[in-house]
Amino acid sequence: MGNLSKKWSTVLVCLVLMGGLFLTGCSSPSATSSDANTSQNAALANYVPRLEGIATVEMKIKGSPVIIEVNGKDAPITAGNFVDLVERGFYNGLTFHRVVKDPQPFVAQGGDPQGTGTGSFIDPQTKKARYIPLEIKLEGDEQPTYGQALGQQGTAIDKTVALKHSRGAVAMARSQLPDSASSQFYFALSDLPFLDGDYAVFGYVTQGMDVVDSIKQGDKIDSAKVVSGLENLKK
């Protein structure tokens, strides 16, 4: 009975995810085929902004610091997008519009300029929303796979992902379309392996997880700044 209860608990969390982690009102290209994805990988080789290495971000929440190590080695586009937004001051003052802790610790999600779960980053130069492709790197692969869910929502694979949804992971929220992530991100409040391959992890909390655990819906990001590794950002 214990294993059955645990299974149903995981199913319930998955249903919570389907109802809320997806963004709404976003549009982007649909997922590509594997052949097209190979070409897309090459086309994205010079995508900017991108992070070619590691950066450290300090995010202050309710006056307390949270240190995030951002991994541009395994998720260069996703990490580059985040670091670029941090450098712009985009996240300063935004709220955590969705925090799920029941029936078990799940996610604290923020980064929406509208605070509704439907907003995106609007590039001031193009006046359009900036979306990034779903970026998943598998262990043993030289490059990430783009535009294709590789977990429970997509193609089932035997390999494990390089960046896992362990407690303290920082990842991008998106709509049902793979290439629809923009500015909304979430902290994993516990190990969430059923999200691996379907959502792009790009970093981990290295200090201040107690602060992350204390986040309540409506809490704000006081500020976010890049404290090291900004030279790795290519724009």
Side-chain angles (χ1 to χ4, degrees):
M1 290 295 293
N3 290 337
L4 183 60
S5 297
K6 184 175 181 181
K7 178 180 179 181
W8 278 110
S9 177
T10 300
V11 169
L12 179 58
V13 172
C14 287
L15 292 175
V16 171
L17 167 70
M18 296 306 129
L21 190 58
F22 283 155
L23 313 184
T24 57
C26 298
S27 61
S28 70
S30 59
T32 59
S33 67
S34 57
D35 287 342
N37 190 252
T38 300
S39 298
Q40 188 182 31
N41 284 5
L44 290 168
N46 296 314
Y47 187 102
V48 290
R50 60 186 294 120
L51 187 70
E52 297 179 350
I54 301 295
T56 303
V57 167
E58 180 188 73
M59 184 174 288
K60 286 193 175 180
I61 303 169
K62 297 187 291 185
S64 299
V66 174
I67 306 301
I68 303 169
E69 182 179 272
V70 185
N71 186 335
K73 294 181 178 179
D74 294 318
I77 291 176
T78 313
N81 177 70
F82 181 76
V83 171
D84 176 61
L85 293 179
V86 169
E87 185 194 16
R88 291 171 182 263
F90 175 82
Y91 290 117
N92 298 347
L94 298 189
T95 62
F96 287 94
H97 62 274
R98 181 168 181 266
V99 179
V100 180
K101 297 183 179 180
D102 294 317
Q104 64 188 61
F106 185 38
V107 300
Q109 183 176 331
D112 176 7
Q114 298 180 12
T116 61
T118 62
S120 304
F121 167 64
I122 305 300
D123 191 312
Q125 293 184 332
T126 66
K127 310 300 181 184
K128 297 180 180 179
R130 183 171 81 191
Y131 298 110
I132 59 172
L134 177 60
E135 180 179 50
I136 305 294
K137 187 176 182 181
L138 302 177
E139 291 184 349
D141 288 359
E142 292 186 4
Q143 295 183 347
T145 295
Y146 292 100
Q148 188 175 1
L150 300 177
Q152 295 182 14
Q153 296 176 23
T155 305
I157 50 174
D158 294 331
K159 293 182 179 180
T160 57
V161 298
L163 299 177
K164 300 177 176 61
H165 276 84
S166 56
R167 171 173 154 80
V170 190
M172 294 302 291
R174 62 173 177 83
S175 76
Q176 295 184 42
L177 299 176
D179 300 341
S180 57
S182 179
S183 61
Q184 295 188 43
F185 69 94
Y186 58 90
F187 293 113
L189 302 180
S190 62
D191 292 347
L192 305 172
F194 58 89
L195 299 184
D196 287 347
D198 290 327
Y199 296 85
V201 173
F202 60 86
Y204 295 91
V205 173
T206 58
Q207 296 179 44
M209 193 60 200
D210 58 326
V211 179
V212 174
D213 288 333
S214 73
I215 295 173
K216 297 179 180 179
Q217 191 161 311
D219 284 345
K220 294 184 180 296
I221 300 170
D222 300 328
S223 63
K225 64 180 180 180
V226 183
V227 295
S228 68
L230 188 57
E231 69 277 3
N232 295 326
L233 180 64
K234 310 303 177 184
K235 299 177 69 173

Short mmCIF file of all heavy atoms in Angstrom, two decimals, residues 82-131:
data_model
loop_
_atom_site.label_atom_id
_atom_site.label_comp_id
_atom_site.label_asym_id
_atom_site.label_seq_id
_atom_site.Cartn_x
_atom_site.Cartn_y
_atom_site.Cartn_z
N PHE A 82 18.54 33.82 -19.06
CA PHE A 82 18.33 34.20 -17.66
C PHE A 82 19.33 35.26 -17.21
O PHE A 82 18.95 36.28 -16.61
CB PHE A 82 18.45 32.95 -16.77
CG PHE A 82 18.22 33.22 -15.31
CD1 PHE A 82 16.93 33.43 -14.82
CD2 PHE A 82 19.28 33.24 -14.42
CE1 PHE A 82 16.71 33.67 -13.47
CE2 PHE A 82 19.07 33.49 -13.07
CZ PHE A 82 17.78 33.69 -12.59
N VAL A 83 20.62 35.04 -17.50
CA VAL A 83 21.64 35.99 -17.09
C VAL A 83 21.44 37.34 -17.76
O VAL A 83 21.61 38.40 -17.15
CB VAL A 83 23.05 35.44 -17.37
CG1 VAL A 83 24.13 36.49 -17.15
CG2 VAL A 83 23.32 34.23 -16.47
N ASP A 84 21.04 37.31 -19.02
CA ASP A 84 20.76 38.56 -19.73
C ASP A 84 19.63 39.33 -19.06
O ASP A 84 19.71 40.56 -18.87
CB ASP A 84 20.40 38.26 -21.19
CG ASP A 84 20.00 39.51 -21.96
OD1 ASP A 84 20.84 40.43 -22.08
OD2 ASP A 84 18.85 39.58 -22.42
N LEU A 85 18.55 38.62 -18.67
CA LEU A 85 17.43 39.28 -18.01
C LEU A 85 17.83 39.81 -16.64
O LEU A 85 17.39 40.89 -16.24
CB LEU A 85 16.26 38.31 -17.90
CG LEU A 85 15.61 37.88 -19.22
CD1 LEU A 85 14.47 36.90 -18.96
CD2 LEU A 85 15.10 39.08 -20.00
N VAL A 86 18.67 39.06 -15.93
CA VAL A 86 19.16 39.53 -14.63
C VAL A 86 19.96 40.81 -14.82
O VAL A 86 19.77 41.80 -14.09
CB VAL A 86 20.02 38.46 -13.94
CG1 VAL A 86 20.76 39.05 -12.74
CG2 VAL A 86 19.16 37.28 -13.50
N GLU A 87 20.86 40.81 -15.81
CA GLU A 87 21.70 41.98 -16.06
C GLU A 87 20.85 43.21 -16.42
O GLU A 87 21.19 44.34 -16.05
CB GLU A 87 22.69 41.70 -17.19
CG GLU A 87 23.68 42.83 -17.42
CD GLU A 87 24.43 42.72 -18.73
OE1 GLU A 87 24.00 41.94 -19.60
OE2 GLU A 87 25.43 43.43 -18.88
N ARG A 88 19.74 43.00 -17.11
CA ARG A 88 18.86 44.10 -17.49
C ARG A 88 18.07 44.66 -16.30
O ARG A 88 17.42 45.71 -16.40
CB ARG A 88 17.84 43.62 -18.54
CG ARG A 88 18.42 43.30 -19.90
CD ARG A 88 17.36 42.64 -20.77
NE ARG A 88 17.85 42.27 -22.09
CZ ARG A 88 17.70 43.00 -23.19
NH1 ARG A 88 17.07 44.18 -23.11
NH2 ARG A 88 18.17 42.60 -24.34
N GLY A 89 18.08 43.91 -15.17
CA GLY A 89 17.26 44.32 -14.03
C GLY A 89 15.80 43.93 -14.19
O GLY A 89 14.93 44.42 -13.46
N PHE A 90 15.54 43.03 -15.12
CA PHE A 90 14.16 42.65 -15.46
C PHE A 90 13.42 42.05 -14.27
O PHE A 90 12.21 42.30 -14.09
CB PHE A 90 14.20 41.64 -16.62
CG PHE A 90 12.85 41.08 -16.99
CD1 PHE A 90 11.99 41.78 -17.81
CD2 PHE A 90 12.44 39.84 -16.50
CE1 PHE A 90 10.73 41.27 -18.14
CE2 PHE A 90 11.20 39.32 -16.84
CZ PHE A 90 10.35 40.04 -17.66
N TYR A 91 14.10 41.25 -13.45
CA TYR A 91 13.42 40.54 -12.38
C TYR A 91 13.19 41.38 -11.13
O TYR A 91 12.42 40.97 -10.25
CB TYR A 91 14.22 39.28 -12.00
CG TYR A 91 14.18 38.21 -13.06
CD1 TYR A 91 15.34 37.80 -13.72
CD2 TYR A 91 12.99 37.59 -13.43
CE1 TYR A 91 15.32 36.82 -14.70
CE2 TYR A 91 12.95 36.61 -14.41
CZ TYR A 91 14.12 36.23 -15.03
OH TYR A 91 14.08 35.25 -16.00
N ASN A 92 13.82 42.53 -11.04
CA ASN A 92 13.70 43.35 -9.83
C ASN A 92 12.25 43.77 -9.61
O ASN A 92 11.62 44.39 -10.46
CB ASN A 92 14.58 44.60 -9.95
CG ASN A 92 16.06 44.26 -10.07
OD1 ASN A 92 16.47 43.13 -9.84
ND2 ASN A 92 16.86 45.24 -10.44
N GLY A 93 11.72 43.41 -8.45
CA GLY A 93 10.36 43.80 -8.08
C GLY A 93 9.26 42.87 -8.54
O GLY A 93 8.09 43.10 -8.19
N LEU A 94 9.59 41.84 -9.32
CA LEU A 94 8.55 40.91 -9.78
C LEU A 94 8.15 39.95 -8.66
O LEU A 94 8.90 39.71 -7.73
CB LEU A 94 9.04 40.12 -11.00
CG LEU A 94 9.39 40.94 -12.25
CD1 LEU A 94 9.65 40.02 -13.44
CD2 LEU A 94 8.28 41.93 -12.59
N THR A 95 6.95 39.40 -8.78
CA THR A 95 6.41 38.55 -7.72
C THR A 95 6.54 37.06 -8.07
O THR A 95 6.68 36.68 -9.23
CB THR A 95 4.91 38.84 -7.49
OG1 THR A 95 4.20 38.54 -8.70
CG2 THR A 95 4.70 40.29 -7.10
N PHE A 96 6.47 36.25 -7.01
CA PHE A 96 6.28 34.82 -7.19
C PHE A 96 4.77 34.60 -7.22
O PHE A 96 4.09 34.64 -6.20
CB PHE A 96 6.93 34.04 -6.04
CG PHE A 96 8.44 34.03 -6.13
CD1 PHE A 96 9.19 34.98 -5.46
CD2 PHE A 96 9.09 33.08 -6.91
CE1 PHE A 96 10.57 34.98 -5.56
CE2 PHE A 96 10.48 33.08 -7.02
CZ PHE A 96 11.22 34.04 -6.35
N HIS A 97 4.25 34.42 -8.44
CA HIS A 97 2.81 34.36 -8.63
C HIS A 97 2.23 32.98 -8.37
O HIS A 97 1.01 32.82 -8.29
CB HIS A 97 2.43 34.80 -10.05
CG HIS A 97 3.01 33.93 -11.11
ND1 HIS A 97 4.27 34.12 -11.63
CD2 HIS A 97 2.50 32.84 -11.77
CE1 HIS A 97 4.50 33.21 -12.56
NE2 HIS A 97 3.45 32.41 -12.65
N ARG A 98 3.10 31.98 -8.24
CA ARG A 98 2.61 30.62 -8.04
C ARG A 98 3.58 29.86 -7.14
O ARG A 98 4.75 29.67 -7.49
CB ARG A 98 2.46 29.91 -9.38
CG ARG A 98 1.93 28.48 -9.24
CD ARG A 98 1.53 27.92 -10.60
NE ARG A 98 1.00 26.58 -10.45
CZ ARG A 98 1.73 25.47 -10.59
NH1 ARG A 98 3.00 25.55 -10.91
NH2 ARG A 98 1.18 24.29 -10.43
N VAL A 99 3.10 29.44 -5.98
CA VAL A 99 3.89 28.66 -5.05
C VAL A 99 3.05 27.45 -4.62
O VAL A 99 1.95 27.62 -4.10
CB VAL A 99 4.30 29.48 -3.81
CG1 VAL A 99 5.10 28.61 -2.84
CG2 VAL A 99 5.11 30.71 -4.22
N VAL A 100 3.57 26.25 -4.88
CA VAL A 100 2.84 25.02 -4.56
C VAL A 100 3.67 24.22 -3.56
O VAL A 100 4.79 23.80 -3.87
CB VAL A 100 2.57 24.19 -5.83
CG1 VAL A 100 1.81 22.91 -5.46
CG2 VAL A 100 1.78 24.99 -6.85
N LYS A 101 3.10 24.01 -2.39
CA LYS A 101 3.79 23.24 -1.34
C LYS A 101 2.96 22.05 -0.86
O LYS A 101 3.45 21.24 -0.07
CB LYS A 101 4.12 24.15 -0.16
CG LYS A 101 5.09 25.27 -0.52
CD LYS A 101 5.46 26.12 0.69
CE LYS A 101 6.45 27.20 0.29
NZ LYS A 101 6.85 28.06 1.46
N ASP A 102 1.72 21.96 -1.28
CA ASP A 102 0.84 20.86 -0.89
C ASP A 102 0.32 20.16 -2.14
O ASP A 102 0.04 20.82 -3.14
CB ASP A 102 -0.36 21.39 -0.09
CG ASP A 102 0.06 21.96 1.26
OD1 ASP A 102 0.89 21.32 1.92
OD2 ASP A 102 -0.45 23.04 1.62
N PRO A 103 0.22 18.85 -2.15
CA PRO A 103 0.36 17.93 -1.02
C PRO A 103 1.80 17.66 -0.62
O PRO A 103 2.04 16.97 0.36
CB PRO A 103 -0.31 16.65 -1.53
CG PRO A 103 -0.07 16.69 -3.01
CD PRO A 103 -0.18 18.14 -3.39
N GLN A 104 2.76 18.19 -1.38
CA GLN A 104 4.17 18.07 -1.03
C GLN A 104 4.90 19.24 -1.68
O GLN A 104 4.38 19.86 -2.61
CB GLN A 104 4.75 16.74 -1.52
CG GLN A 104 4.77 16.58 -3.03
CD GLN A 104 5.15 15.18 -3.46
OE1 GLN A 104 4.49 14.21 -3.13
NE2 GLN A 104 6.23 15.08 -4.21
N PRO A 105 6.09 19.60 -1.17
CA PRO A 105 6.81 20.73 -1.76
C PRO A 105 7.03 20.52 -3.25
O PRO A 105 7.51 19.48 -3.68
CB PRO A 105 8.14 20.73 -0.98
CG PRO A 105 7.80 20.09 0.32
CD PRO A 105 6.80 19.03 -0.01
N PHE A 106 6.66 21.53 -4.05
CA PHE A 106 6.72 21.39 -5.50
C PHE A 106 7.56 22.52 -6.10
O PHE A 106 8.77 22.36 -6.29
CB PHE A 106 5.30 21.37 -6.06
CG PHE A 106 5.21 21.11 -7.54
CD1 PHE A 106 6.05 20.20 -8.16
CD2 PHE A 106 4.26 21.76 -8.32
CE1 PHE A 106 5.96 19.96 -9.53
CE2 PHE A 106 4.15 21.53 -9.67
CZ PHE A 106 5.00 20.63 -10.28
N VAL A 107 6.97 23.67 -6.40
CA VAL A 107 7.73 24.75 -7.03
C VAL A 107 7.33 26.11 -6.48
O VAL A 107 6.22 26.30 -5.96
CB VAL A 107 7.53 24.78 -8.57
CG1 VAL A 107 7.98 23.48 -9.20
CG2 VAL A 107 6.09 25.11 -8.93
N ALA A 108 8.25 27.07 -6.61
CA ALA A 108 7.97 28.49 -6.42
C ALA A 108 8.31 29.15 -7.74
O ALA A 108 9.46 29.13 -8.19
CB ALA A 108 8.81 29.07 -5.29
N GLN A 109 7.30 29.70 -8.41
CA GLN A 109 7.45 30.20 -9.78
C GLN A 109 7.28 31.71 -9.84
O GLN A 109 6.34 32.26 -9.26
CB GLN A 109 6.41 29.52 -10.68
CG GLN A 109 6.51 29.90 -12.15
CD GLN A 109 5.51 29.12 -13.00
OE1 GLN A 109 5.14 28.00 -12.67
NE2 GLN A 109 5.07 29.71 -14.09
N GLY A 110 8.17 32.38 -10.55
CA GLY A 110 8.10 33.83 -10.71
C GLY A 110 8.66 34.25 -12.05
O GLY A 110 8.88 33.43 -12.95
N GLY A 111 8.91 35.56 -12.19
CA GLY A 111 9.49 36.06 -13.42
C GLY A 111 8.51 36.54 -14.46
O GLY A 111 8.88 36.79 -15.61
N ASP A 112 7.22 36.69 -14.07
CA ASP A 112 6.20 37.18 -15.00
C ASP A 112 5.99 38.67 -14.74
O ASP A 112 5.56 39.05 -13.65
CB ASP A 112 4.90 36.41 -14.78
CG ASP A 112 3.75 36.93 -15.63
OD1 ASP A 112 3.99 37.81 -16.49
OD2 ASP A 112 2.62 36.47 -15.44
N PRO A 113 6.27 39.53 -15.73
CA PRO A 113 6.09 40.98 -15.50
C PRO A 113 4.65 41.38 -15.24
O PRO A 113 4.39 42.44 -14.68
CB PRO A 113 6.62 41.60 -16.81
CG PRO A 113 6.48 40.53 -17.83
CD PRO A 113 6.74 39.25 -17.09
N GLN A 114 3.70 40.52 -15.63
CA GLN A 114 2.29 40.81 -15.39
C GLN A 114 1.80 40.25 -14.05
O GLN A 114 0.75 40.64 -13.55
CB GLN A 114 1.43 40.25 -16.53
CG GLN A 114 1.74 40.85 -17.89
CD GLN A 114 0.86 40.27 -18.99
OE1 GLN A 114 -0.13 39.58 -18.72
NE2 GLN A 114 1.22 40.53 -20.23
N GLY A 115 2.55 39.29 -13.51
CA GLY A 115 2.18 38.68 -12.24
C GLY A 115 0.99 37.76 -12.32
O GLY A 115 0.38 37.40 -11.30
N THR A 116 0.64 37.32 -13.52
CA THR A 116 -0.56 36.50 -13.72
C THR A 116 -0.24 35.08 -14.19
O THR A 116 -1.13 34.23 -14.23
CB THR A 116 -1.46 37.15 -14.77
OG1 THR A 116 -0.75 37.24 -16.01
CG2 THR A 116 -1.89 38.54 -14.34
N GLY A 117 1.00 34.84 -14.59
CA GLY A 117 1.35 33.56 -15.18
C GLY A 117 1.23 33.53 -16.68
O GLY A 117 1.43 32.49 -17.31
N THR A 118 0.91 34.68 -17.28
CA THR A 118 0.74 34.74 -18.74
C THR A 118 1.74 35.66 -19.42
O THR A 118 1.72 35.79 -20.65
CB THR A 118 -0.68 35.21 -19.11
OG1 THR A 118 -0.87 36.54 -18.60
CG2 THR A 118 -1.73 34.30 -18.51
N GLY A 119 2.59 36.33 -18.66
CA GLY A 119 3.48 37.34 -19.22
C GLY A 119 4.81 36.79 -19.70
O GLY A 119 5.24 35.70 -19.31
N SER A 120 5.49 37.57 -20.55
CA SER A 120 6.79 37.21 -21.11
C SER A 120 7.68 38.46 -21.14
O SER A 120 7.21 39.58 -20.91
CB SER A 120 6.63 36.67 -22.53
OG SER A 120 5.76 35.56 -22.58
N PHE A 121 8.95 38.24 -21.44
CA PHE A 121 9.85 39.36 -21.63
C PHE A 121 9.63 39.95 -23.01
O PHE A 121 9.68 39.24 -24.02
CB PHE A 121 11.31 38.90 -21.50
CG PHE A 121 12.32 39.91 -21.98
CD1 PHE A 121 12.46 41.15 -21.37
CD2 PHE A 121 13.13 39.63 -23.08
CE1 PHE A 121 13.38 42.07 -21.82
CE2 PHE A 121 14.06 40.54 -23.54
CZ PHE A 121 14.18 41.78 -22.91
N ILE A 122 9.38 41.25 -23.08
CA ILE A 122 9.22 41.95 -24.34
C ILE A 122 10.53 42.66 -24.66
O ILE A 122 10.96 43.54 -23.90
CB ILE A 122 8.07 42.98 -24.30
CG1 ILE A 122 6.76 42.30 -23.86
CG2 ILE A 122 7.91 43.65 -25.65
CD1 ILE A 122 6.30 41.20 -24.77
N ASP A 123 11.18 42.24 -25.73
CA ASP A 123 12.46 42.84 -26.11
C ASP A 123 12.22 44.30 -26.50
O ASP A 123 11.42 44.59 -27.39
CB ASP A 123 13.04 42.07 -27.31
CG ASP A 123 14.48 42.46 -27.59
OD1 ASP A 123 14.77 43.69 -27.65
OD2 ASP A 123 15.31 41.56 -27.77
N PRO A 124 12.90 45.25 -25.83
CA PRO A 124 12.67 46.66 -26.13
C PRO A 124 13.09 47.06 -27.54
O PRO A 124 12.60 48.06 -28.07
CB PRO A 124 13.51 47.39 -25.07
CG PRO A 124 14.53 46.39 -24.63
CD PRO A 124 13.87 45.06 -24.73
N GLN A 125 13.96 46.29 -28.17
CA GLN A 125 14.40 46.61 -29.53
C GLN A 125 13.39 46.15 -30.57
O GLN A 125 13.06 46.88 -31.50
CB GLN A 125 15.77 46.02 -29.81
CG GLN A 125 16.89 46.64 -28.99
CD GLN A 125 18.25 46.08 -29.37
OE1 GLN A 125 18.39 44.96 -29.82
NE2 GLN A 125 19.28 46.90 -29.20
N THR A 126 12.89 44.92 -30.41
CA THR A 126 11.96 44.37 -31.40
C THR A 126 10.50 44.63 -31.04
O THR A 126 9.63 44.48 -31.90
CB THR A 126 12.17 42.85 -31.54
OG1 THR A 126 11.81 42.22 -30.30
CG2 THR A 126 13.62 42.52 -31.87
N LYS A 127 10.25 44.98 -29.77
CA LYS A 127 8.89 45.18 -29.27
C LYS A 127 8.07 43.90 -29.30
O LYS A 127 6.85 43.93 -29.26
CB LYS A 127 8.16 46.28 -30.07
CG LYS A 127 8.93 47.57 -30.23
CD LYS A 127 9.25 48.22 -28.90
CE LYS A 127 10.00 49.54 -29.08
NZ LYS A 127 10.40 50.15 -27.79
N LYS A 128 8.76 42.78 -29.37
CA LYS A 128 8.09 41.48 -29.39
C LYS A 128 8.57 40.62 -28.23
O LYS A 128 9.66 40.83 -27.70
CB LYS A 128 8.35 40.76 -30.73
CG LYS A 128 7.80 41.48 -31.94
CD LYS A 128 8.11 40.70 -33.21
CE LYS A 128 7.58 41.41 -34.45
NZ LYS A 128 7.90 40.65 -35.69
N ALA A 129 7.75 39.63 -27.87
CA ALA A 129 8.14 38.70 -26.82
C ALA A 129 9.33 37.87 -27.29
O ALA A 129 9.38 37.45 -28.46
CB ALA A 129 6.98 37.79 -26.46
N ARG A 130 10.29 37.66 -26.40
CA ARG A 130 11.43 36.81 -26.74
C ARG A 130 11.21 35.42 -26.14
O ARG A 130 11.07 35.27 -24.93
CB ARG A 130 12.74 37.40 -26.17
CG ARG A 130 13.97 36.58 -26.57
CD ARG A 130 15.26 37.29 -26.18
NE ARG A 130 15.58 37.10 -24.78
CZ ARG A 130 16.54 37.79 -24.14
NH1 ARG A 130 17.22 38.73 -24.80
NH2 ARG A 130 16.79 37.57 -22.87
N TYR A 131 11.17 34.43 -27.02
CA TYR A 131 11.03 33.05 -26.60
C TYR A 131 12.35 32.32 -26.88
O TYR A 131 13.08 32.66 -27.81
CB TYR A 131 9.89 32.36 -27.35
CG TYR A 131 8.54 32.97 -27.10
CD1 TYR A 131 7.88 33.68 -28.10
CD2 TYR A 131 7.92 32.84 -25.86
CE1 TYR A 131 6.64 34.25 -27.88
CE2 TYR A 131 6.68 33.41 -25.62
CZ TYR A 131 6.04 34.11 -26.63
OH TYR A 131 4.82 34.68 -26.40
#
